[in-house]
Amino acid sequence: KHSIVASVCHFEHNGARINLIDTPGYPDFVGQAIGALRGVETAVIVVSATAGIEVNTRKMFQHAEAAGLARMIVINRCDGDNIRFPQLIESIRETFGSACALMNVPNKLGHDFSGVVSTIDGAGGEAVVDTKAAGQQVLDAAVEADEFLMERYLEGGELTPDEISHAITKALEGGTLVPIFCTAAKKGTGVPELMDAIARFAPSPVAYTRTGKKGNEDVKVEPKADGPLVAQVFKTRIDPFVAKMNYLRILSGSLKKDATVRNERSGKTFKVAQIIELQGNQTAPATDVGPGEIVAVIKVDDLHTGDT
């Protein structure tokens, strides 16, 4: 009933392919969660509505911030008992900063929780806190990442929905906005809205340039399919049926079956005999994968976690 290892899956939603790494929340297995940060652009940190902020919540938020990732917070179990929602939001903003802002709000709490109300799309409806004030916090944090929009916004200009979407993505990348979403995962309440937001706002891996080092030189890694191959190992696993598996995040270029590639750490080359796509504990063969994809290569003894 608890995750103890990082698991990879993928799915399509609203025209976007989303690669998801489910990681343990229990402190004993935090290494699995920290390693997974190397394979993503966005960290979604779950807070229990009933338990509030816990030790590992702080730790993972700090690790994600240090890694320069976009961050989202999900308040789960909004159908639980004895939830003090305004106090919880205040605690989140005190702990993690004023960049944290509610993107949606429960219509009710406890067993009556049956849906969420958006704070930015003007839907309105019954909610447990003032959606207009919460939406204002989102906009304030979003325009902070775009000087042109901020100038218009401060002059009282109206922002279009497209401009707001663009500003939210830019603010997520810049860390000036940490959106908060509300769910009851077992019932599925609030989950479609969370998926919509990830597809709409989360930074796309095919539009996300990273900075790395090659020796002492700073290098920009652009996610171009026709660029040089750059991939990083973020997890290594010994599978009793498949042997050694190295989980790779493709950052640039294309990884092809039977290609010969170089391990930057050791300087050795090896042949990629087999590439597999992962869907939980199920695998499927792949022949050619590009930027943004997460796959595994097997039976490569020279590869270890952290290798490029």
Side-chain angles (χ1 to χ4, degrees):
K1 297 184 179 180
H2 293 278
S3 302
I4 59 172
V5 296
S7 300
V8 176
C9 72
H10 56 83
F11 55 93
E12 305 284 331
H13 187 82
N14 285 1
R17 177 182 165 107
I18 298 170
N19 286 310
L20 175 72
I21 308 176
D22 170 57
T23 60
Y26 200 67
D28 289 20
F29 308 108
V30 71
Q32 291 280 324
I34 293 169
L37 294 177
R38 304 298 166 211
V40 299
E41 283 74 38
T42 304
V44 182
I45 295 159
V46 182
V47 175
S48 167
T50 52
I53 297 169
E54 297 174 86
V55 173
N56 221 36
T57 316
R58 290 188 179 89
K59 187 178 289 186
M60 285 313 302
F61 193 94
Q62 288 162 0
H63 280 295
E65 185 176 26
L69 300 182
R71 285 149 291 150
M72 296 179 174
I73 292 173
V74 174
I75 300 175
N76 192 35
R77 298 184 181 174
C78 287
D79 56 345
D81 296 323
N82 304 317
I83 299 169
R84 301 167 67 196
F85 194 78
Q87 290 88 338
L88 176 59
I89 299 304
E90 189 178 331
S91 172
I92 288 172
R93 285 172 63 85
E94 280 181 5
T95 305
F96 302 126
S98 59
C100 301
L102 281 160
M103 291 279 277
N104 60 38
V105 179
N107 59 349
K108 293 179 181 176
L109 292 171
H111 301 297
D112 295 326
F113 174 48
S114 60
V116 292
V117 180
S118 171
T119 63
I120 61 163
D121 289 335
E126 183 183 5
V128 297
V129 297
D130 182 354
T131 57
K132 192 172 180 181
Q136 192 69 48
Q137 289 177 344
V138 173
L139 280 175
D140 289 347
V143 297
E144 198 176 318
D146 190 313
E147 284 185 22
F148 174 72
L149 284 184
M150 178 178 267
E151 196 174 318
R152 268 185 53 205
Y153 180 64
L154 292 174
E155 289 172 356
E158 287 287 323
L159 303 184
T160 67
D162 282 348
E163 285 176 327
I164 291 170
S165 289
H166 176 74
I168 287 172
T169 299
K170 196 170 179 181
L172 269 163
E173 289 176 351
T176 64
L177 173 64
V178 179
I180 304 171
F181 303 91
C182 301
T183 63
K186 279 190 177 180
K187 290 162 65 173
T189 311
V191 175
E193 290 83 356
L194 172 62
M195 295 297 97
D196 290 347
I198 289 172
R200 181 179 171 189
F201 301 123
S204 167
V206 294
Y208 192 92
T209 299
R210 294 177 182 234
T211 303
K213 280 197 176 291
K214 189 169 185 178
N216 294 320
E217 184 187 352
D218 286 331
V219 179
K220 283 195 172 180
V221 181
E222 296 185 45
K224 294 180 178 177
D226 59 352
L229 173 65
V230 181
Q232 186 169 31
V233 181
F234 66 85
K235 174 182 166 73
T236 302
R237 173 185 167 207
I238 306 300
D239 186 284
F241 302 105
V242 185
K244 187 176 183 180
M245 297 174 63
N246 283 288
Y247 291 59
L248 295 176
R249 167 62 200 276
I250 313 298
L251 301 172
S252 167
S254 295
L255 180 67
K256 295 179 171 65
K257 184 178 181 296
D258 295 328
T260 299
V261 298
R262 182 176 185 271
N263 184 342
E264 286 292 321
R265 174 185 55 79
S266 66
K268 295 178 182 177
T269 59
F270 61 91
K271 187 177 179 180
V272 180
Q274 195 173 355
I275 306 170
I276 54 177
E277 275 196 335
L278 304 143
Q279 189 72 299
N281 61 2
Q282 298 176 343
T283 62
T287 56
D288 187 354
V289 289
E293 294 295 353
I294 293 174
V295 293
V297 293
I298 62 173
K299 297 180 181 177
V300 182
D301 292 335
D302 183 47
L303 273 186
H304 306 292
T305 299
D307 282 356
T308 305

